[in-house]
Amino acid sequence: MSNDNEQASKTAAAAAQQNERKTQQLPEPYEKTTRHQIVLDGERIAYTATVGTLNIDTAKVKPAASVFFAAFNLIDSDGNVDSSRPVTFVFNGGPGSATTFLLMGSIAPKRIDVPDAAPVPAAPYQLVDNVHTLLPSSDLVFIDAPGAGFSEILDTAKPELWSVDGDVAGFSAFIRAYLSKYHRWNSPKYILGESYGTTRGAALAYRLQQDGVAPNGIILISNILDYAFTLDTSDQFYIGYFPTFASVAKYHDRAAADTEVAEHLQAAREFANGPLRLALAAGASLDDDTKRKVAARYAELTGLDAQYVYDSDLRVVDMRFRKALLHDEDKIVGRYDGRVAGYDLDRMNDEETFVVDDAFLDPAYSSLCNAYLRDELGWDRTPERRGFADFDWNATEPGKGWTWWHTQPSGTKSSWGSKIPFPNVVPDLAAAITHQPTLKVLIGNGIYDLCTPFFQTEYDIDHLGLPKALRGNVAFTYYPAGHMLYSSEKSLAKFSADLQRFYGLRADDLSTLNERPALPTARIDL
């Protein structure tokens, strides 16, 4: 009898939930615009800030989501926007993340002022005019992903939008809706994505082309373009991370005390791509003497104990490195910024109890973002702002979790075919550049980023498979910071200057901006 009652209760609950979904509605599009000024290089510049939403459709649900944006436009003395100026669409990653960090910390007209690579005290936090804003070079549109920030999403649309390809289609739909509403179809258009936003950004560039929009340029910072190396900790996983281990060790005075950073990183690149790669490829056939020599050089470059490296079979995963480097100080280094060090609750465990640098920064950015958008820019809608969409990372049912399958451009070389069970957008980026030979790409890298290591990004770009004439369309820049490379004001100043140069260059002039050092030419003796 109790089982019957329980089943009836479940049936009633399911019916109620279904009815709620049927009646669920999105708010009407809404916006609020305010005027502001900022002094840059002694000149007073006027701009508008518009916070608002636009509705987007999916193939099955219309409308499907209400997407929030914060747009900043330079205006003339009459209050007019110049539609011939570039417009840049900016987003964080996640997936399913609000664009809080880029909005509050990078190139908007205001930025948060918090200690760099150190614990951040509780509120009040300080918001300051951002002398490094990109506004003189481009109007800016910061976008919250559907279901995150102030963006809302219908339950019936989640199976489509909460997926690699659906997310890209949704962002394309938003950009096209924005271009139409604000008369920016003939403006130069740029995309700036961070972290998973680089996965989205590379695929989005290709998707926009298919949807009738040709981006002028793409800025990808803290890149993850191919998830394959993270799935099974292949040899490439350890190779891709190694130079970042070396840079973090150098920062904490555990390696290369008498060597400049650039020289140390180049030595780490050459070791990773040479002796380490060969040793890992040998597997169990590697002789013990060679293994100990490789472990010793590994330890010399990273500050780890040689025996620890040897006992790890030359395969030190990133979390173990972060736990081991400062173990004698009872500290763990940050995942997003290896310059940061803090205490962990269980120093003997291989796994961290929390991500120390994220714990330092997230409350400050989230709190001040709410204050800025609501108190200064006038956003007065409900519900409350969400840092992330509320999908379940462990769920496999569409609409409950994130669907990782990705359909690559036709002609892609893959043993899986065109549809693969994880994002690899290297072919998308290659297709976008090949289809539009004037497209320029800037790859930004924090050298202390232990989340998306720069050497792995260099490897991915080396495997774009571009025709030789188009390889110069991609330029690398590097910053003495972590994943949020703008969190250091010194790095932010350089990033802003690099962007201003990037916007002023043609694709065939990017070599003047490229900072990537060349590795020695590989020798293949037959």
Side-chain angles (χ1 to χ4, degrees), residues 293-371:
K293 288 178 180 177
V294 172
R297 180 57 174 161
Y298 190 120
E300 182 183 4
L301 290 167
T302 64
L304 298 181
D305 177 73
Q307 188 62 44
Y308 179 85
V309 176
Y310 177 89
D311 290 342
S312 301
D313 201 28
L314 310 179
R315 293 165 170 82
V316 181
V317 297
D318 55 313
M319 189 181 298
R320 289 185 179 181
F321 170 80
R322 291 189 287 114
K323 294 278 285 195
L325 183 67
L326 303 180
H327 191 263
D328 59 339
E329 298 179 24
D330 291 342
K331 289 183 176 180
I332 180 174
V333 299
R335 178 175 186 241
Y336 298 101
D337 192 338
R339 298 175 302 153
V340 177
Y343 298 101
D344 194 24
L345 291 173
D346 186 352
R347 66 186 296 268
M348 296 308 294
N349 196 321
D350 283 342
E351 297 185 3
E352 63 201 353
T353 55
F354 69 103
V355 182
V356 60
D357 45 349
D358 186 53
F360 288 169
L361 290 178
D362 185 66
Y365 274 80
S366 297
S367 296
L368 201 54
C369 187
N370 270 292

Side-chain angles (χ1 to χ4, degrees), residues 158-175:
K158 290 176 180 178
E160 292 180 272
L161 288 174
W162 283 358
S163 66
V164 174
D165 294 343
D167 173 79
V168 168
F171 269 77
S172 174
F174 170 84
I175 289 172

Side-chain angles (χ1 to χ4, degrees), residues 41-55:
D41 296 326
E43 180 183 358
R44 190 172 297 277
I45 295 175
Y47 67 93
T48 59
T50 300
V51 287
T53 57
L54 291 174
N55 286 351

Side-chain angles (χ1 to χ4, degrees), residues 209-453:
Q209 291 173 348
Q210 311 312 302
D211 290 340
V213 181
N216 296 67
I218 312 169
I219 302 105
L220 305 175
I221 62 175
S222 307
N223 290 257
I224 180 162
L225 302 176
D226 181 2
Y227 274 70
F229 86 102
T230 70
L231 299 178
D232 59 359
T233 53
S234 64
D235 289 352
Q236 183 56 41
F237 178 92
Y238 303 102
I239 295 162
Y241 261 102
F242 184 82
T244 307
F245 289 177
S247 68
V248 172
K250 166 70 174 172
Y251 179 86
H252 290 286
D253 297 322
R254 297 304 176 103
D258 300 324
T259 307
E260 293 296 321
V261 172
E263 182 183 346
H264 181 55
L265 291 189
Q266 191 65 352
R269 283 183 175 100
E270 293 176 13
F271 171 77
N273 211 39
L276 182 60
R277 183 179 293 281
L278 291 172
L280 296 178
S285 69
L286 184 68
D287 67 274
D288 194 66
D289 183 57
T290 301
K291 183 175 179 179
R292 289 197 178 277
K293 288 178 180 177
V294 172
R297 180 57 174 161
Y298 190 120
E300 182 183 4
L301 290 167
T302 64
L304 298 181
D305 177 73
Q307 188 62 44
Y308 179 85
V309 176
Y310 177 89
D311 290 342
S312 301
D313 201 28
L314 310 179
R315 293 165 170 82
V316 181
V317 297
D318 55 313
M319 189 181 298
R320 289 185 179 181
F321 170 80
R322 291 189 287 114
K323 294 278 285 195
L325 183 67
L326 303 180
H327 191 263
D328 59 339
E329 298 179 24
D330 291 342
K331 289 183 176 180
I332 180 174
V333 299
R335 178 175 186 241
Y336 298 101
D337 192 338
R339 298 175 302 153
V340 177
Y343 298 101
D344 194 24
L345 291 173
D346 186 352
R347 66 186 296 268
M348 296 308 294
N349 196 321
D350 283 342
E351 297 185 3
E352 63 201 353
T353 55
F354 69 103
V355 182
V356 60
D357 45 349
D358 186 53
F360 288 169
L361 290 178
D362 185 66
Y365 274 80
S366 297
S367 296
L368 201 54
C369 187
N370 270 292
Y372 179 47
L373 293 174
R374 291 189 177 279
D375 301 339
E376 187 164 335
L377 301 189
W379 185 254
D380 57 3
R381 307 284 97 173
T382 55
E384 292 301 310
R385 186 170 177 82
R386 291 180 173 182
F388 281 87
D390 62 354
F391 55 77
D392 181 353
W393 287 102
N394 297 315
T396 56
E397 180 185 349
K400 300 291 186 183
W402 187 262
T403 302
W404 289 99
W405 284 83
H406 172 49
T407 301
Q408 297 178 315
S410 60
T412 298
K413 299 174 182 177
S414 170
S415 59
W416 292 89
S418 62
K419 190 171 183 179
I420 57 175
F422 56 87
N424 174 10
V425 296
V426 172
D428 301 71
L429 183 57
I433 296 170
T434 306
H435 290 198
Q436 183 187 330
T438 59
L439 179 64
K440 52 187 179 180
V441 181
L442 182 66
I443 303 291
N445 309 269
I447 64 171
Y448 303 114
D449 180 1
L450 283 163
C451 179
T452 55

